[in-house]
Amino acid sequence: MLDILRRIVQDINATRNLSEALNLIVVEVKAAIHTDVCSVYMTDHTRGEHVLMATDGLRPGAIGKVRLKFEQGLTGLAASRAEPVNVDNAPAHPAFRYIAATGEAPFHGFIGVPIVRRRKVLGVLVAQQREQRKYTTDEESFLVTLAAQLAGCITQAEIRQALGRLDDDALSGTLFLEGVASARGVALGEAVVVFPATALDRVPDKDIENADAEASRFRQAVAAELAELQRLSERMRLLLSAGDRALFDAYALLLSSDSLVNGTLERIYAGNWAPGALRATVLEYANIFAEMDDPYLRERAADILDLGQRLLDRLQEEQIVNRPYPDSTILMGNEISVSQLLDVPQEKIKGLVSVRGTSTSHVALLARGLGIPAVFGVSNLPPGRLNGREVAVDGYTMRVCIQPNPALRQEYLKLIHEEAELSRGLQHLRDLPAETLDGHRLDLYANSGLFADIAAARSSGVQGVGLYRSELHFFLRDRFPTEEEQTTIYTRVLRIMDPHPVVLRTLDIGGDKPLPYFPIAEQNPFLGWRGIRISLDQPDLFKSQLRAMLRAGTAYANLSILFPMISTVSELSDALGLLHCAKTELQEEGVPVQMPPIGIMVEVPSAVWQIDKLIRMVDFASIGSNDLTQYLLAVDRNNDRVAKLYDSLHPVVLAATRHVIEQSRAAGRPISVCGEMAGDPAAALLLLAMGVDSLSMNLGSLLKIKWMTRSVRYDEAQALLTEVIDLDTASAVRERANVFLDQQGLSGLLRVGK
Ligand code: PEP
Ligand code: MG
């Protein structure tokens, strides 16, 4: 049965449209379970009907004509109960209804299995038998399994079909696709699809006639790549430190060395085409490096392969080296690399959409840092069909709209305009404090992780950086940065913000953030080796990071250090132990280090309930609401299937947050929130009411939250908190908080929330 199932699913995926897929299903299922009839009804929710869409066994003329009202007949029963109905003698069942249009003399055996996706009934798969027949448990589970698979296939087929319609008539329809993660903001522009390259090791050999022409083609590719590396390195200057840009220099060096280029040319003159000659040469050198004893040199094998791939891409796309990007480019692809993003001139890139990627993928972090609206994890996206189409990217709702109709287009343009107006209109708040109408002060800080966003933070007049995600610098390299390199980075960060405080968080990798050069394969990474757990198990890495931070702190006095993912008291005391050890070592080496303020992130339920103990061991705490929400609600923060359940306004998250804030205040320790919650106006309003000392957020949200703070009264916010904390659901809380914000004249902010 499993083989048949697999084959059917494969066959369906190869079909071109939905009706072809359904026709195929009915024929294959009928044969597989040896039954007289197999049909698929699709549910038309607007009309409240199940429509016969395909059948093998009933009169073909009935297709599209037989429309069963919801709950009508046994088919309706299967749909309304959302469970299989399996009866051996259908006419004897009270729900049975004879439908003449099908041309059937009554059938007896009946099984109807609902096709459900994300709680929504999409249709019913029905099998019938002339004689009385009770379908076996195996047959029933075969149909149930198939229906579950079908739900996904139907969604895909519907999307393909909708795209087909868009092809036929440019304005006849609009297609919405949903993602799982985003960078906030709205954008409208033209899709430019980028494809993953052919893998270098798959390139075949091919004989050539004109070696001179092929050699010159290759030389041009090398020259173009060298120029490109130079350009990329320049552009990265704003974003990365010199150390981080070293990768580009290493590539340039490899390209200028004779071996790679000459080796390839020799093979070309021996009669192979350029891609084949390149493959052979690159693999030869990569193997030599891979065999070396020195670990540093061994790792260069990856650089050689990478560079080979870049040259191959160039040979394959040589005509479009200087790709003309439209003025409003929406970059799309299965997976977009950092260099593909940086390849688009900054003034032309308006948005980003990718099939893969989560909120913490490289490119997502970069998009946020650069303020580019983006949607990631759009698993239904068929990029190949979208090049050149108009696309709207809505990072607030995590939706992508393909070919918006004129009304929607106007709506998106209006939103983009309003956003720009709102940001402009809030500029006058830049140097004003975040203080409520009745005089309660809140400190607002920016989250950061790159040089580009920290420089932007500095020039926007923020009070400091409340969360510096140090792992970003680890992501943008091809190996762990040394203590020296880290010291340079942290010193630069502290210098840019001086005298405003900067909270440097120690490495928070693992979970959904594995480093490319430190792979961690785990069944359950969010509950596995991540954050402080890795740091404690790799004291060498941890200590070099702590030493680098402390050394940076000797030049500027604005440093604080934050430990992520603390879940037990002993973890914290071990981390503090290593920190003291690093400090003593440095002092012994004659470095005049001071102990900076130390904090913990509260992002795990156990830390919430032991906060009274943990907080007394440190100087401050910061609530990581992104992880805290995922762990309290048991909802993976990057999984689109459960995205609807993920909401930091859930009353349980609010209660936990309030507990942490109250306990920290009771212990006399400053408490902050640095997850996405801090930049969500409704959530920030409630956090303010709880008495949080500071909020740290994406720079883009900062003035909006300041506007909110300056427009409300603290005592009224507290009354609102008392009212909502006992509500049952996140949506009820949000609704009530939004009404409150609206009443304060803040309706312009409401879109900014979830
Ligand atoms: C958080 O979990 O809320 C947080 C700020 O950390 P990160 O998003 O980097 O995991
Ligand atoms: Mg976190």
Side-chain angles (χ1 to χ4, degrees):
M1 272 305 196
L2 199 60
D3 283 344
I4 301 178
L5 194 74
R6 211 173 282 139
R7 201 197 60 234
I8 297 181
V9 171
Q10 260 167 16
D11 290 351
I12 297 169
N13 281 331
T15 57
R16 277 165 305 164
N17 57 43
L18 188 56
S19 78
E20 206 177 284
L22 297 181
N23 286 331
L24 191 126
I25 290 163
V26 292
V27 172
E28 298 211 17
V29 171
K30 182 177 164 217
I33 59 169
H34 310 289
T35 189
D36 292 331
V37 178
C38 178
S39 316
V40 176
Y41 290 81
M42 295 281 289
T43 304
D44 178 346
H45 285 275
T46 39
R47 292 206 194 175
E49 292 171 344
H50 305 294
V51 188
L52 180 68
M53 293 300 286
T55 184
D56 184 359
L58 298 182
R59 208 156 50 84
I63 292 174
K65 303 225 174 59
V66 173
R67 295 177 160 268
L68 306 173
K69 283 278 160 225
F70 273 8
E71 319 218 350
Q72 196 178 21
L74 291 170
T75 302
L77 188 66
S80 64
R81 284 194 186 160
E83 64 185 29
V85 171
N86 183 358
V87 293
D88 55 350
N89 186 9
H93 193 283
F96 176 78
R97 189 158 174 284
Y98 177 67
I99 298 147
T102 57
E104 47 182 281
F107 288 90
H108 289 86
F110 175 96
I111 183 163
V113 176
I115 303 166
V116 184
R117 184 168 159 90
R118 311 241 169 114
R119 301 188 187 188
K120 190 171 169 194
V121 174
L122 303 180
V124 185
L125 177 64
V126 173
Q128 290 168 283
Q129 186 81 20
R130 204 158 292 286
E131 305 78 42
Q132 291 199 8
R133 166 177 179 182
K134 178 90 174 174
Y135 291 88
T136 63
T137 344
D138 274 357
E139 287 163 342
E140 183 171 324
S141 60
F142 170 75
L143 292 175
V144 168
T145 316
L146 188 62
Q149 297 270 357
L150 268 185
C153 300
I154 288 174
T155 314
Q156 287 290 342
E158 274 175 344
I159 287 171
R160 286 203 296 271
Q161 191 149 329
L163 281 169
R165 271 201 307 277
L166 296 187
D167 281 339
D168 293 344
D169 174 357
L171 298 176
S172 73
T174 289
L175 179 61
F176 282 101
L177 299 171
E178 290 189 6
V180 297
S182 65
R184 290 172 176 209
V186 181
L188 185 71
E190 182 181 330
V192 174
V193 177
V194 286
F195 292 99
T198 321
L200 181 71
D201 56 357
R202 301 249 189 90
V203 173
D205 289 329
K206 220 190 258 181
D207 291 341
I208 43 159
E209 310 248 303
N210 186 345
D212 283 337
E214 196 65 2
S216 113
R217 188 164 93 94
F218 176 66
R219 282 201 186 92
Q220 275 169 21
V222 172
E225 185 57 30
L226 264 171
E228 169 71 5
L229 288 169
Q230 176 70 30
R231 204 167 63 84
L232 267 181
S233 174
E234 277 303 306
R235 190 168 310 159
M236 296 285 240
R237 189 181 297 282
L238 288 173
L239 304 173
L240 307 176
S241 68
D244 289 338
R245 282 184 280 123
L247 182 65
F248 296 99
D249 300 337
Y251 281 178
L253 208 67
L254 278 171
L255 267 187
S256 322
S257 77
D258 284 349
S259 12
L260 213 60
V261 176
N262 285 349
T264 307
L265 286 172
E266 270 168 30
R267 287 184 162 94
I268 291 174
Y269 283 111
N272 202 352
W273 70 321
L278 176 69
R279 185 213 65 233
T281 315
V282 165
L283 293 185
E284 182 193 347
Y285 280 99
N287 285 338
I288 295 175
F289 275 86
E291 312 258 289
M292 290 184 175
D293 289 336
D294 181 299
Y296 179 80
L297 290 176
R298 228 179 10 244
E299 279 173 23
R300 303 285 67 76
D303 289 348
I304 295 174
L305 288 171
D306 230 43
L307 183 64
Q309 186 69 54
R310 290 180 67 94
L311 280 173
L312 177 69
D313 297 349
R314 201 159 281 284
L315 282 170
Q316 288 173 336
E317 295 180 24
E318 56 199 356
Q319 307 86 331
I320 40 168
V321 170
N322 282 320
R323 191 177 192 144
Y325 289 100
D327 286 344
S328 295
T329 295
I330 307 283
L331 210 56
M332 276 195 168
N334 280 314
E335 194 149 23
I336 294 171
S337 70
V338 169
S339 57
Q340 279 168 333
L341 169 59
L342 293 173
D343 196 44
V344 190
Q346 193 108 38
E347 68 285 0
K348 293 193 172 183
I349 175 93
K350 297 290 182 265
L352 205 97
V353 181
S354 125
V355 174
R356 279 192 279 278
T358 58
S359 57
T360 43
S361 55
H362 280 189
V363 79
L365 297 170
L366 198 59
R368 272 200 219 115
L370 300 175
I372 302 167
V375 180
F376 301 96
V378 189
S379 51
N380 291 327
L381 183 78
R385 306 271 310 265
L386 299 177
N387 205 27
R389 290 180 197 266
E390 184 166 60
V391 171
V393 180
D394 187 338
Y396 293 114
T397 58
M398 297 193 206
R399 290 212 300 181
V400 181
C401 176
I402 314 289
Q403 223 162 277
N405 63 33
L408 276 167
R409 194 170 186 281
Q410 271 319 105
E411 193 59 26
Y412 282 116
L413 285 173
K414 198 168 130 227
L415 283 173
I416 293 168
H417 179 71
E418 279 173 8
E419 282 253 322
E421 285 283 287
L422 183 60
S423 307
R424 258 196 303 279
L426 295 178
Q427 286 307 320
H428 70 281
L429 300 178
R430 236 192 74 142
D431 300 319
L432 297 176
E435 187 174 294
T436 62
L437 296 170
D438 48 350
H440 179 85
R441 278 288 273 271
L442 193 60
D443 287 330
L444 299 187
Y445 297 119
N447 289 351
S448 167
L450 295 166
F451 291 135
D453 56 17
I454 203 162
R458 175 73 215 218
S459 58
S460 72
V462 298
Q463 289 167 270
V465 169
L467 171 67
Y468 192 84
R469 292 181 162 104
S470 67
E471 59 274 7
L472 298 203
H473 285 281
F474 286 67
F475 280 123
L476 293 169
R477 311 174 73 87
D478 62 343
R479 58 176 169 80
F480 284 107
T482 61
E483 179 182 325
E484 229 32 70
E485 288 168 329
Q486 291 187 63
T487 309
T488 312
I489 294 169
Y490 304 144
T491 309
R492 181 162 169 201
V493 170
L494 296 183
R495 187 183 66 234
I496 294 174
M497 287 312 292
D498 186 55
H500 302 292
V502 176
V503 180
L504 293 182
R505 179 172 75 180
T506 62
L507 197 57
D508 186 22
I509 53 168
D512 61 335
K513 297 183 278 194
L515 287 176
Y517 48 89
F518 190 64
I520 303 168
E522 288 183 329
Q523 290 268 336
N524 213 340
F526 275 121
L527 300 183
W529 208 39
R530 66 167 296 205
I532 198 73
R533 300 172 182 178
I534 296 183
S535 295
L536 292 177
D537 288 350
Q538 300 285 149
D540 47 336
L541 292 176
F542 190 40
K543 277 243 300 282
S544 75
Q545 181 170 43
L546 293 172
R547 284 171 57 97
M549 288 180 173
L550 290 171
R551 283 171 63 185
T554 56
Y556 299 94
N558 53 346
L559 164 72
S560 300
I561 295 180
L562 183 65
F563 296 136
M565 274 292 291
I566 292 289
S567 61
T568 65
V569 168
S570 52
E571 265 173 354
L572 180 55
S573 47
D574 289 352
L576 289 171
L578 284 167
L579 178 63
H580 281 104
C581 180
K583 180 179 160 242
T584 315
E585 272 174 25
L586 284 168
Q587 280 170 339
E588 283 167 8
E589 292 163 26
V591 187
V593 284
Q594 303 280 335
M595 190 54 97
I598 307 299
I600 51 161
M601 288 199 71
V602 182
E603 42 189 352
V604 176
S606 59
V608 171
W609 305 117
Q610 278 197 317
I611 187 65
D612 52 331
K613 297 195 172 63
L614 294 168
I615 194 72
R616 289 183 169 78
M617 299 166 67
V618 289
D619 304 300
F620 69 98
S622 190
I623 300 174
S625 57
N626 304 342
D627 278 313
L628 187 57
T629 304
Q630 102 162 330
Y631 291 125
L632 279 174
L633 303 182
V635 179
D636 177 344
R637 64 196 254 193
N638 293 315
N639 182 340
D640 67 324
R641 292 211 183 94
V642 289
K644 285 206 177 78
L645 294 173
Y646 184 97
D647 195 332
S648 299
L649 283 190
H650 192 294
V652 163
V653 180
L654 294 180
T657 309
R658 183 167 70 168
H659 175 73
V660 174
I661 293 174
E662 284 173 356
Q663 292 291 317
S664 305
R665 290 180 68 86
R669 305 290 199 277
I671 174 77
S672 132
V673 174
C674 63
E676 292 295 301
M677 216 180 164
D680 170 354
L685 170 67
L686 298 173
L687 295 170
L688 164 82
M690 291 175 196
V692 76
D693 294 296
S694 61
L695 296 175
S696 190
M697 65 200 78
N698 282 325
L699 196 55
S701 308
L702 207 125
L703 288 180
K704 295 170 186 164
I705 299 300
K706 193 184 275 191
W707 181 34
M708 182 278 290
T709 310
R710 294 178 59 84
S711 311
V712 301
R713 285 185 60 89
Y714 184 52
D715 52 5
E716 287 179 6
Q718 284 180 311
L720 176 77
L721 175 67
T722 315
E723 185 187 333
V724 300
I725 200 129
D726 285 329
L727 292 174
D728 293 337
T729 62
S731 52
V733 174
R734 187 171 297 282
E735 217 168 281
R736 179 65 193 97
N738 283 351
V739 169
F740 180 92
L741 290 172
D742 196 19
Q743 284 164 350
Q744 317 302 309
L746 294 167
S747 57
L749 286 182
L750 296 185
R751 189 172 167 70
V752 185
K754 192 175 156 103

